[in-house]
Amino acid sequence: MSVSDRPILIKKVKKVSGGGHHGGAWKVAYADFVTAMMAFFLLMWLINTTDPEQKRGIAEYFAPASVSETTSGSGGILGGTALGDDGPKSSGSQSVLQELAPEAPATDQTGPSANLSSASDAALQAEMQKREAAEFASAAESLRQAMQSMPELAELSKQLIVDQTPEGLRIQLVDQEGRSMFDNNSARPNARAQVLLRAVSKVINQLPNRISITGHTSATAGSNRASAPADWSLSSERANASRLVLQSAGVDADRIYSVAGKAGSDPLYPDDPSLAGNRRIAIVLLREAPVLPTDTSL
């Protein structure tokens, strides 16, 4: 057979791109899936390890700072105005209405608007009082927990009375038979009183309210008089000595509003003014705004 008579063979090579019948796109999809699962489990771990306060802080951090509260057109770009003849950013028909509208008469401040203002003030004051009462209750609970958790304070818990009065949160250090806060006719707090005063100072430092400190004595046993003449100076000296212990424990001196002695004129047990429980130190966190420091630079 000659060369010209040989059959001509055409070989076609089929090129396959991607390295196989399915290509390599699955690797990208699988990597995205693994990344998403890792992010999901990381998020679940973070949710389980954070406390509610931290979650609230994270939510506030990612909350939008400026979002319109309305869903109408007034929250859009034009803010509820239209394009008018006065210019591309004018109020359009609103300017015409303002020119045609008569001037509104002055409103009486003693009318309904004044009632609304006074009502809002009353609601604000009620809300502040409610919040203050909640803070007082939290401080009282903190003091009770401290008394129970510390062995040196647990045995003194019966000598501490905490309650809320119209004046504010009152904390009283009360004498018991055989367990007094001061030595007889002495104004110096003993070790028991100093431990209690330091525990009270930790609660006081949690709130900004001003403080009043009042000393009380008991009447002489078998006597009808409420207090002896020396009891007035003794009760005031005991209150002042308690103030010094509180300040040494970190209470700011500017927060002290009053230090007074009432002798036996205001007994805790009026039926028996001679009881040891009438000898006490009353510390009151007053229901009022805290004192602002004076600006000495002026």
Side-chain angles (χ1 to χ4, degrees):
M1 180 183 295
S2 62
V3 178
S4 59
D5 294 334
R6 291 179 181 179
I8 299 174
L9 300 178
I10 300 175
K11 185 179 180 180
K12 295 184 178 179
V13 180
K14 187 176 182 181
K15 295 182 180 181
V16 179
S17 61
H21 65 282
H22 46 63
W26 66 274
K27 298 179 182 179
V28 179
Y30 181 73
D32 293 341
F33 171 75
V34 172
T35 304
M37 292 299 296
M38 183 177 64
F40 173 74
F41 285 112
L42 180 61
L43 176 62
M44 297 298 293
W45 176 76
L46 289 174
I47 291 176
N48 290 330
T49 56
T50 54
D51 53 24
E53 187 66 26
Q54 292 174 334
K55 293 177 183 177
R56 191 179 302 110
I58 295 174
E60 293 177 355
Y61 177 80
F62 286 102
S66 59
V67 177
S68 175
E69 297 179 357
T70 177
T71 57
S72 65
S74 60
I77 299 177
L78 296 177
T81 61
L83 298 178
D85 297 335
D86 298 337
K89 292 185 179 181
S90 65
S91 58
S93 58
Q94 184 179 1
S95 61
V96 179
L97 294 177
Q98 290 177 354
E99 293 177 0
L100 297 179
E103 183 178 358
T107 58
D108 186 5
Q109 296 298 328
T110 61
S113 60
N115 295 334
L116 291 176
S117 178
S118 60
S120 61
D121 292 342
L124 178 60
Q125 185 176 5
E127 179 63 24
M128 292 178 63
Q129 292 177 353
K130 182 179 178 181
R131 183 174 301 179
E132 187 178 50
E135 292 177 350
F136 283 164
S138 176
E141 185 62 25
S142 298
L143 182 58
R144 294 188 184 96
Q145 291 179 358
M147 297 292 292
Q148 295 175 0
S149 60
M150 300 178 64
E152 63 272 17
L153 296 178
E155 60 179 7
L156 303 178
S157 59
K158 295 182 179 179
Q159 296 184 246
L160 203 66
I161 301 176
V162 183
D163 58 353
Q164 293 196 35
T165 66
E167 291 181 325
L169 179 65
R170 182 175 62 180
I171 305 172
Q172 298 187 93
L173 284 66
V174 182
D175 279 8
Q176 288 184 336
E177 290 295 340
R179 302 176 67 89
S180 61
M181 298 288 104
F182 299 85
D183 295 335
N184 190 22
N185 294 326
S186 173
R188 178 182 175 82
N190 56 25
R192 185 181 299 107
Q194 293 184 23
V195 170
L196 284 175
L197 287 170
R198 292 191 184 97
V200 171
S201 67
K202 296 180 181 179
V203 176
I204 292 176
N205 288 330
Q206 296 178 6
L207 299 173
N209 303 67
R210 294 193 293 178
I211 308 162
S212 69
I213 307 173
T214 307
H216 300 267
T217 60
S218 60
T220 304
S223 176
N224 293 327
R225 59 182 181 174
S227 58
D231 289 345
W232 292 97
S233 59
L234 180 62
S235 60
S236 60
E237 290 172 1
R238 287 179 173 178
N240 190 50
S242 301
R243 174 188 65 83
L244 295 176
V245 175
L246 291 176
Q247 289 184 201
S248 65
V251 178
D252 193 352
D254 294 336
R255 297 180 55 191
I256 306 298
Y257 176 71
S258 65
V259 178
K262 290 190 176 181
S265 61
D266 186 15
L268 185 62
Y269 303 99
D271 296 338
D272 191 355
S274 62
L275 283 178
N278 293 310
R279 297 190 297 270
R280 65 196 190 278
I281 296 295
I283 303 170
V284 181
L285 291 168
L286 301 175
R287 296 182 185 275
E288 60 179 3
V291 177
L292 296 177
T294 58
D295 190 358
T296 58
S297 61
L298 297 179

